[in-house]
Amino acid sequence: MLEFLRGRDVLVAGWGVSGRSLIEPLRDIGARPVVTDGGAAALAEAAGLGLDIATCTELETADWSRFALVITSPGWRPDSPVLAAAVTEGTPVWGDVEFAWWVDQARIYGPVRKWLVVTGTNGKTTTTSMVHSILRAAGIASVACGNIGLPILDALRRNPGPQVLAVELSSFQLHWAPSVRPEAGVVLNVAEDHLDWHGGLDAYAAAKSRALYGRVGVVGLDDPVAASLARRSKARRTVGFRIGVPADGELGVVDGKLLDRAFTKAAILAEVGDISPKGPAGVADALAAAALTRAIDVAPQFVREGLIEHKVGPHRAAFVREVAGVEFIDDSKATNPHAARSSILGHPQVVWIAGGQLKGASVDDLVEEIADRLVAAVLIGADSPVIAAALARHAPEVPVVEVRAGDHAGMGDAGRDGVARADAVMAQAVRAAAGLARPGDVVLLAPAAASLDMFADYTHRGRSFAAAVAALEDGDIGRHL
């Protein structure tokens, strides 16, 4: 399949992590990589490494017959000028995941691996980490890769190499990877996100459904859109999971135990109390991870051991600190309303810190559902007025504090420094939340929005929250009540 690349130029579109991972495999199969990127600094770095480069402007008038293939970074939209020109000229466009799939199938770096693919709007990284933990417990050489951070090509090039890949894939990556046929793949859930990139929810869901093209497809039955994808599944077998009593062909929960009725008559896999993170979202992710690993015959005892060993990653419903009987939880990774919903439903009494960039998503359904759990809400970021309006409509009795960047008295020089300015706003928000909390409450950072209006990324937002929590004293709790 890759022979057509030998001795030919291949355009690498995007000099990011995935772009860098392409260079050595392309050279290993005898192709000549040429790098393009919209940033001058990125092109300069690539040129400094001895790579051929081409600016996006140069490619507008390029002779496309020069290129056998374009391999795009996942973030590049299909209508971007370079990719649109390639398609118009008849040059095939692959994503880095598609290329990695064919590199693996061609056995460039050893025997073909089993791919266990995880996608969904929320819970991808947690589920992928759980899969990897279960595989380790079973003694199976594996690696977590893909959207979780390590490029798949870098995982394939490891020596000794893994037998199984726990692959987290975004909708962008799946859009550009039509050939991937995983040993098992799961769609956890599907909610409004990245609709501007895909052009609508149907196209977004269709991209997610490509995880269901392999031997076993798994869908989250508690999510209506994910459950509907079972009808689109091209897998040889499709099973589901639910946080409830499972039917035949499903995994679920009975009397506080995770139960497999899909790959055996009935097998207990773990206790709900074994699962980290706590709450319904964590249990759903554990069921998904169990389904993928049971699909390749991992024994129930290793599923349990792996789930017990798994610890939640940073900024994903991570416990930060308890102050005077109030727990502070960092779920900065909850960058859309669907993720925030799962986080909030894990706690009965919540002081909610929310806000940022909603990216056009509605929060009305979320606020209406969680209203009875909210002790108070503290709002930050560009779209805080939108969330405040939803709270006024659906939870008018909930106290709301909006912290604006310009409202922070004494910000001084920090106001001219974006990082310090954001940290100062977060510190004020945390103090306000602490002042509205009583012992037994949870102060939960689950923004329901992206972070880039104020912070470098969601990890910066989470670190800022943790630093503000570390500065609290017992006397800060409940002082506004």
Side-chain angles (χ1 to χ4, degrees):
M1 179 62 187
L2 299 177
E3 285 299 317
F4 77 104
L5 301 179
R6 189 175 302 279
R8 298 289 306 281
D9 287 348
V10 173
L11 184 65
V12 175
W15 185 242
V17 173
S18 61
R20 291 178 179 86
S21 74
L22 292 164
I23 303 306
E24 291 308 315
L26 284 169
R27 287 170 168 166
D28 287 344
I29 63 175
R32 295 187 298 268
V34 179
V35 176
T36 189
D37 192 280
L43 288 179
E45 180 184 333
L49 295 174
L51 293 164
D52 289 341
I53 62 170
T55 68
C56 295
T57 302
E58 289 170 342
L59 290 169
E60 292 177 5
T61 57
D63 176 6
W64 282 92
S65 64
R66 167 188 178 188
F67 298 111
L69 176 69
V70 177
I71 307 179
T72 179
S73 294
W76 283 45
R77 292 168 54 126
D79 59 359
S80 64
V82 169
L83 303 187
V87 171
T88 299
E89 296 296 329
T91 304
V93 179
W94 292 3
D96 63 299
V97 174
E98 177 83 355
F99 180 68
W101 172 260
W102 287 112
V103 165
D104 192 28
Q105 297 302 300
R107 296 175 169 82
I108 303 298
Y109 300 114
V112 175
R113 280 70 171 188
K114 292 180 178 179
W115 291 41
L116 302 181
V117 167
V118 179
T119 195
T121 303
N122 300 299
K124 296 186 294 294
T125 297
T126 298
T127 303
T128 304
S129 299
M130 287 175 168
V131 169
H132 184 39
S133 183
I134 293 168
L135 294 171
R136 285 200 312 265
I140 297 171
S142 65
V143 64
C145 56
N147 196 56
I148 200 170
L150 178 71
I152 300 170
L153 288 164
D154 288 354
L156 293 175
R157 294 175 63 222
R158 286 189 170 185
N159 189 15
Q163 298 170 268
V164 180
L165 305 180
V167 187
E168 176 186 331
L169 294 182
S170 69
S171 59
F172 303 159
Q173 290 170 311
L174 284 161
H175 173 89
W176 294 116
S179 302
V180 171
R181 300 292 184 270
E183 190 71 11
V186 63
V187 179
L188 302 169
N189 44 62
V190 180
E192 291 185 350
D193 203 15
H194 305 304
L195 302 191
D196 53 346
W197 197 97
H198 289 281
L201 184 61
D202 286 346
Y204 175 58
K208 293 290 190 188
S209 73
R210 286 183 171 173
L212 309 177
Y213 282 19
R215 187 176 67 84
V216 177
V218 182
V219 296
L221 297 172
D222 294 326
D223 182 274
V225 181
S228 73
L229 294 181
R231 296 191 295 272
R232 291 191 194 181
S233 175
K234 299 183 185 302
R236 279 178 268 169
R237 182 187 181 198
T238 304
V239 304
F241 65 91
R242 65 175 76 244
I243 306 177
V245 178
D248 288 341
E250 298 176 1
L251 292 85
V253 179
V254 178
D255 297 329
K257 296 178 173 58
L258 277 64
L259 189 69
D260 173 14
R261 297 191 65 191
F263 300 99
T264 185
K265 185 174 182 180
I268 295 173
L269 301 176
E271 302 279 342
V272 168
D274 294 337
I275 307 305
S276 172
K278 304 297 182 187
V283 173
D285 294 343
L287 288 165
L292 292 180
T293 51
R294 292 288 292 139
I296 60 168
D297 298 323
V298 173
Q301 71 188 75
F302 298 124
V303 174
R304 180 174 185 272
E305 289 177 18
L307 292 175
I308 289 172
E309 287 297 317
H310 175 263
K311 296 295 182 284
V312 67
H315 317 303
R316 293 173 171 84
F319 173 78
V320 176
R321 185 187 174 202
E322 181 178 321
V323 183
V326 174
E327 290 188 359
F328 290 79
I329 305 292
D330 167 17
D331 199 8
S332 183
K333 187 63 170 66
T335 56
N336 55 58
H338 188 272
R341 171 190 179 273
S342 298
S343 193
I344 294 165
L345 291 179
H347 308 283
Q349 297 169 202
V350 174
V351 179
W352 183 29
I353 300 179
Q357 295 168 308
L358 288 169
K359 299 176 291 183
S362 170
V363 291
D364 283 86
D365 290 347
L366 167 65
V367 171
E368 187 173 12
E369 183 175 4
I370 65 172
D372 62 349
R373 294 174 184 259
L374 295 182
V375 174
V378 179
L379 306 180
I380 62 175
D383 287 331
S384 62
V386 178
I387 302 175
L391 286 161
R393 284 190 292 270
H394 304 293
E397 73 289 351
V398 173
V400 176
V401 175
E402 288 190 71
V403 180
R404 299 283 191 169
D407 293 343
H408 185 80
M411 219 185 272
D413 290 342
R416 294 190 292 271
D417 178 350
V419 172
R421 184 166 175 259
D423 290 343
V425 171
M426 180 62 79
Q428 185 177 349
V430 167
R431 286 195 298 272
L436 293 164
R438 299 179 176 89
D441 293 344
V442 168
V443 173
L444 175 64
L445 174 67
S451 59
L452 297 181
D453 58 326
M454 290 175 59
F455 300 92
D457 50 30
Y458 78 85
T459 64
H460 172 206
R461 182 168 60 186
R463 292 194 305 272
S464 183
F465 174 77
V469 172
L472 293 174
E473 299 178 353
D474 288 358
D476 293 316
I477 302 300
R479 71 182 186 280
H480 296 320
L481 298 175

